[in-house]
Amino acid sequence: MTWMLPDPMLTAPVPDPELPPGCAAEPKWDGYRAQLARWADGRVLLRSRQGTDMTTAFPEIREAALEQLPGDTGLDGELVVWEGERLAFERLQQRLVRRRGAGGLAAARTWPAHLVVFDVLHLEGTDLTTWPYVRRRTTLEALFADTPLTAPFTLCPSTTDPATARDWLTWTSAGLEGLCFKRLSQPYRPGARTWGKYKVRVTTEAIVGAVTGPPAAPRTLLLGRYDDTGRLRYTGRTVALARTATAALADALEPATGRHPWTGRTFTAGWGSRDVLDATLVHPQLVVEVAVDVARDGAGRWRHPVRLHRPRPDLPARAVPPFNE
């Protein structure tokens, strides 16, 4: 093995969805960031952003690399699984659980993955990381066209047209999280957060069913929505509240008395932590408006932190959209 994959180049959040001058835009997919290396001696490595070896969990990607990629080639992209007409992040999680042997092969048949490739880092022994993005992109497009690369490899779209980039933001129902912005003249800088990432966020309503901290001074809100059977379903938790928000909520939250839809339930901190929260149930009557992104887990909950926008004491619980909408 004469070369190694570089650390992945990373993104930093940006508040504006407009394509900056001198940049290209790419869709940001709801998947796992992944780098793929195929060495001339036949070895293949598929690894996560954190460096976890995922090769055995995705045997179809390994086989395609051996069959289609030139030797000593490295790619950067996003692992995704399609289910119906949307990307199913939860299937990727299940693929990693069933990562070895017969379980991995069965999962590959049930939920086949694609690698949406957005960069080429090494090609037939040549290090391309010092090349500007626009040159690497031209080389990547030629690799797909001339080799050619086919499924499970997919070429990520790229555009310098602001109108096209804006149009991509309408794809959120299919699993697009937002846009990545990449400067045309920039080389691949391992570990640097110099790509921009705009995440689509929307405001919507939910019901406060519990809090962390005392109801008179809540630290975070645990949110729910009713499903079509009338059951209050947990849908996510806010980030830590600002002091002004805490004061505005204090008089509107009543500790639960008697039976509550979440009586006996425990809640974990989430966002990668399994720590159990010390939560206090409150009467599920207060509606709040929250800002969320489009990513959800397999249970239909918001997968990323939720931000409180404002209380909506003027709205009854029946005005809140149903669970999973």
Side-chain angles (χ1 to χ4, degrees):
M1 191 182 300
T2 58
W3 60 277
M4 297 177 61
L5 283 169
D7 290 338
M9 192 168 173
L10 304 174
T11 61
V14 297
D16 192 341
E18 285 300 309
L19 178 62
C23 290
E26 297 174 358
K28 170 63 182 76
W29 307 101
D30 189 14
Y32 277 155
R33 177 75 177 276
Q35 292 179 313
L36 176 67
R38 194 270 201 223
W39 285 276
D41 61 8
R43 280 177 287 181
V44 173
L45 173 65
L46 180 70
R47 74 178 189 187
S48 72
R49 189 182 72 177
Q50 291 77 24
T52 302
D53 187 342
M54 302 187 294
T55 314
T56 59
F58 297 93
E60 71 273 40
I61 304 296
R62 178 183 181 277
E63 292 305 312
L66 289 171
E67 293 172 2
Q68 299 186 38
L69 286 185
D72 290 333
T73 294
L75 304 176
D76 198 354
E78 194 91 5
L79 275 172
V80 300
V81 169
W82 280 97
E83 187 171 51
E85 297 182 352
R86 70 179 186 97
L87 296 177
F89 184 84
E90 62 275 14
R91 301 306 184 197
L92 282 172
Q93 294 174 310
Q94 292 167 309
R95 291 288 306 268
L96 282 178
V97 171
R98 306 178 184 184
R99 62 188 306 163
R100 299 187 185 280
L105 292 172
R109 289 192 294 269
T110 305
W111 305 307
H114 286 74
L115 183 64
V116 183
V117 183
F118 52 69
D119 218 326
V120 55
L121 313 179
H122 217 87
L123 183 60
E124 297 185 90
T126 301
D127 180 6
L128 310 188
T129 58
T130 60
W131 293 9
Y133 168 88
V134 66
R135 186 180 177 190
R136 298 196 313 277
R137 177 70 194 188
T138 300
T139 303
L140 179 63
E141 291 174 356
L143 179 64
F144 267 83
D146 299 341
T147 304
L149 297 187
T150 59
F153 299 120
T154 301
L155 178 64
C156 183
S158 174
T159 187
T160 55
D161 176 36
T164 299
R166 283 193 296 271
D167 184 61
W168 287 343
L169 293 173
T170 65
W171 297 0
T172 53
S173 62
L176 181 133
E177 288 189 326
L179 299 173
C180 287
F181 300 128
K182 301 181 179 181
R183 192 160 296 282
L184 298 174
S185 61
Q186 190 172 54
Y188 191 94
R189 298 177 56 194
R193 290 190 176 275
T194 47
W195 286 337
K197 179 172 69 175
Y198 172 78
K199 293 191 77 170
V200 177
R201 298 189 72 87
V202 297
T203 57
T204 188
E205 292 78 35
I207 302 161
V208 182
V211 300
T212 61
R219 289 192 287 271
T220 67
L221 308 178
L222 280 67
L223 307 172
R225 286 177 164 180
Y226 288 102
D227 63 18
D228 54 10
T229 69
R231 176 185 169 199
L232 184 64
R233 303 282 297 277
Y234 176 61
T235 194
R237 181 167 69 98
T238 68
V239 297
L241 302 175
R243 287 186 179 181
T244 51
T246 296
L249 290 166
D251 293 337
L253 295 172
E254 300 178 11
T257 58
R259 185 154 183 85
H260 186 283
W262 293 344
T263 296
R265 172 172 183 154
T266 58
F267 300 89
T268 59
W271 314 323
S273 171
R274 294 185 177 275
D275 294 340
V276 175
L277 291 172
D278 182 11
T280 300
L281 300 179
V282 297
H283 186 51
Q285 63 181 0
L286 177 64
V287 175
V288 292
E289 186 176 347
V290 293
V292 299
D293 65 25
V294 298
R296 301 205 182 191
D297 66 14
R301 298 170 297 214
W302 293 306
R303 202 170 74 239
H304 297 145
V306 177
R307 303 184 189 281
L308 177 68
H309 187 57
R310 56 178 173 163
R312 292 297 306 270
D314 56 309
L315 292 180
R318 65 177 179 274
V320 172
F323 181 77
N324 236 348
E325 182 173 302

